[in-house]
Each structure stands twice: as structure tokens, then as C-alpha cells.
Amino acid sequence: MGEEFRITEKLKAMIKGLNPAEKKAAKYIIDFPDDVIHHSISELSVLAGTSETTIFRLSKKLGFNGYQAFKIQLARELSSETPSISADKNKLISDLIEALNQQNHLIDEVQLDRIASRIVKASRLIFFGVASSGIVAEFGATLFMRAGFSTAFYTDPHLQIMTAVSLDKGDIVFGISASGNIRDTVKSIEVASDSGAYTVAITGGIGSRIVSVSTETVYVAQGGHETGIPLLQPRVCQLAVIQLLLEKSIRLRNGTMQTLEKVDRTLDKKRYV
């Protein structure tokens, strides 16, 4: 294959001439190239909603002798990309505003009310996430803990699995993943679901792996492909969803405001006057 066109660019140029099944595969590759490099051909066929034969055929049309060669080249192209860093405060803020506006349209109030009604009855609230999503998981656990809920967060995949196997139907587990295709988080949520826990994915990955193993999926606005540094937009939207769930839960749970006031009084002693 020549070096003139990158894989995603070539797919965009040839997509009109592809058959319907190949178009589905091509669109998924164009939209989620950084996820594709982690998938086997069978995993990609499921996520793209097509067959392994279609993926193989598309790889051949791109000039490769098979899927593995295609994936290696895609990984090389992604690793060579220079992250787009503008250092422009106006662009950063406008991107965040746009993402939050999208999030406003994505939010299903009925769904959040349903999840909140379960939260107030739950024995424990557990948050799973790795890397930058782990920071969001920690925020979620800390926020609900401050309001008097029994919470914990785990960013280590092994601790997630060990925790997941001990859960039951009285527990709620939140899986935090921007893409929804991080193997460790998906597996941890799958084990939690199998244990009987009520699992909620907070993700931007429509049709991603975490969706298929979770009881509920709350979608957040994506910010594009992460080619270097983690994007801020999906994390801010995840934080907003968690904040909304907390506020809805507080309204449903007796005594929560008193707990918050007690925590505030206690923390006052730790502040310099």
C-alpha cells in the first residue's frame, strides 16, 4: 500500500463505492480508529455490526493481505499522529460549552430518576475506572460518600475483579469509560453484572462493549479521538451526570441534607480561619 493516503482518509474516499456491510465497517473504523487497534477481527465485527468476512474483504480492498496487517499499519499511523494542542483558551472553553450543550440533549431525565431511585436503596455504590476515567470514578465515590452513602472506587483492574465477585443485587456499580471499549473496565462490569449487581455504564461509546454488559447506559458527549492527552469534554460530561444523579438522590433520601451539614461542620475544623 502506498504512503500517500492514511487508512482513514482512504476509507472516506472509497466509502461511496462500498457495499452496505462494508460501509458499516468502514464507518466504525473512521469513527473509532484508536479503539480498532485493540480489537480482534471477531470483536470488530460485533462492534461494527457486520461479519468477519466483511472486515477481511475490506482489509484486502485497502491493499493489505489480511486484518492483522491492516491493524498494524493503523496502529503505526495513530502513533505517528501529533496531538492537536492549540493552547487557545477560547477554543477550550467553547469546546466544553458545545459538549455540555450536547449533553443537555442526551440526558434522559426519566432514566436518571430511575437510577437515583435505586441509588437511595442500594447497600453500596462502587465506581470502576482506569487511568483518567479513574479520576472521575474517585470523584463520584467521594461525592456520594460526602452525602452519607456507602461508596468505594477502584482503579486497579485486579481489585475491581476481586470486588466485583463479592457483589450482589443490593449493590450498584458505575463503569466509567469514555470509549466504552477498555478491556479491564468492561470485564470488571461484566463480572459485577454476573454477580447480580445493578451496573451503570457512563460512556460516550455508542454500541461499545461496556454497553452490552451493563444494566443501564448513560451516554455522554464525546470530544473526538484521543491521540495524545485525554480529552476534557467527556470527563466534564461524566462529572455532570454524576452530579445530577447525586442531587436527584439527595431529594429522594431522608436525612441526606443533615449529613451534608454535619460533614461541612466537621471539615470546617480542617480549614485555616
Side-chain angles (χ1 to χ4, degrees):
M1 180 179 174
E3 294 296 321
E4 292 184 14
F5 297 102
R6 300 173 72 85
I7 288 174
T8 52
E9 293 171 348
K10 191 167 184 178
L11 283 172
K12 290 176 183 177
M14 63 192 290
I15 197 165
K16 288 185 178 179
L18 300 176
N19 66 43
E22 291 169 344
K23 283 181 180 178
K24 289 172 71 175
K27 188 175 186 307
Y28 189 90
I29 294 167
I30 291 167
D31 289 343
F32 305 105
D34 41 356
D35 289 339
V36 170
I37 61 174
H38 300 293
H39 298 317
S40 66
I41 191 169
S42 59
E43 289 172 333
L44 179 57
S45 67
V46 171
L47 291 167
T50 185
S51 67
E52 293 181 29
T53 302
T54 297
I55 303 294
F56 180 78
R57 187 169 59 243
L58 184 60
S59 299
K60 298 283 283 185
K61 285 188 175 182
L62 284 166
F64 300 100
N65 59 15
Y67 176 68
Q68 193 63 24
F70 153 79
K71 194 164 71 165
I72 290 171
Q73 179 60 26
L74 180 61
R76 286 174 180 162
E77 291 179 1
L78 290 175
S79 66
S80 68
E81 286 183 357
T82 302
S84 176
I85 301 174
S86 66
D88 183 336
K89 66 179 178 64
N90 292 326
K91 184 179 186 309
L92 176 65
I93 298 301
S94 64
D95 285 348
L96 287 174
I97 291 172
E98 181 182 354
L100 286 170
N101 283 331
Q102 292 175 7
Q103 190 60 46
N104 189 37
H105 293 295
L106 283 173
I107 287 173
D108 182 343
E109 293 280 1
V110 174
Q111 181 190 41
L112 294 192
D113 287 339
R114 181 172 62 247
I115 296 172
S117 68
R118 281 185 168 270
I119 287 173
V120 298
K121 299 174 185 175
S123 302
R124 290 176 292 177
L125 307 179
I126 310 294
F127 291 79
F128 289 163
V130 299
S132 54
S133 292
I135 298 171
V136 179
E138 180 178 359
F139 172 85
T142 303
L143 200 64
F144 277 91
M145 183 186 297
R146 185 160 179 164
F149 292 86
S150 176
T151 72
F153 72 93
Y154 298 93
T155 58
D156 181 279
H158 297 290
L159 292 178
Q160 290 177 5
I161 292 294
M162 287 189 284
T163 301
V165 297
S166 69
L167 302 176
D168 57 36
K169 63 182 181 181
D171 301 310
I172 297 180
V173 182
F174 294 92
I176 313 297
S177 175
S179 71
N181 287 320
I182 301 301
R183 290 175 183 268
D184 291 326
T185 308
V186 171
K187 184 61 180 176
S188 298
I189 291 296
E190 183 179 19
V191 173
S193 295
D194 290 343
S195 297
Y198 184 82
T199 53
V200 180
I202 304 180
T203 181
I206 297 174
S208 60
R209 278 301 178 92
I210 201 170
V211 173
S212 64
V213 298
S214 301
T215 313
E216 295 257 13
T217 301
V218 179
Y219 285 111
V220 298
Q222 275 286 24
H225 304 310
E226 296 184 339
T227 56
I229 58 175
L231 292 167
L232 190 56
Q233 297 95 305
R235 276 82 196 181
V236 169
C237 291
Q238 286 170 330
L239 295 174
V241 166
I242 292 171
Q243 181 77 34
L244 277 171
L245 286 172
L246 173 70
E247 293 183 7
K248 286 177 177 291
S249 300
I250 288 173
R251 293 177 61 183
L252 295 172
R253 192 176 193 233
N254 293 329
T256 305
M257 290 305 300
Q258 290 87 336
T259 300
L260 285 169
E261 291 169 2
K262 183 178 179 180
V263 170
D264 284 342
R265 288 196 301 271
T266 303
L267 290 176
D268 276 340
K269 299 174 184 177
K270 292 182 172 290
R271 300 186 179 103
Y272 287 107
V273 178

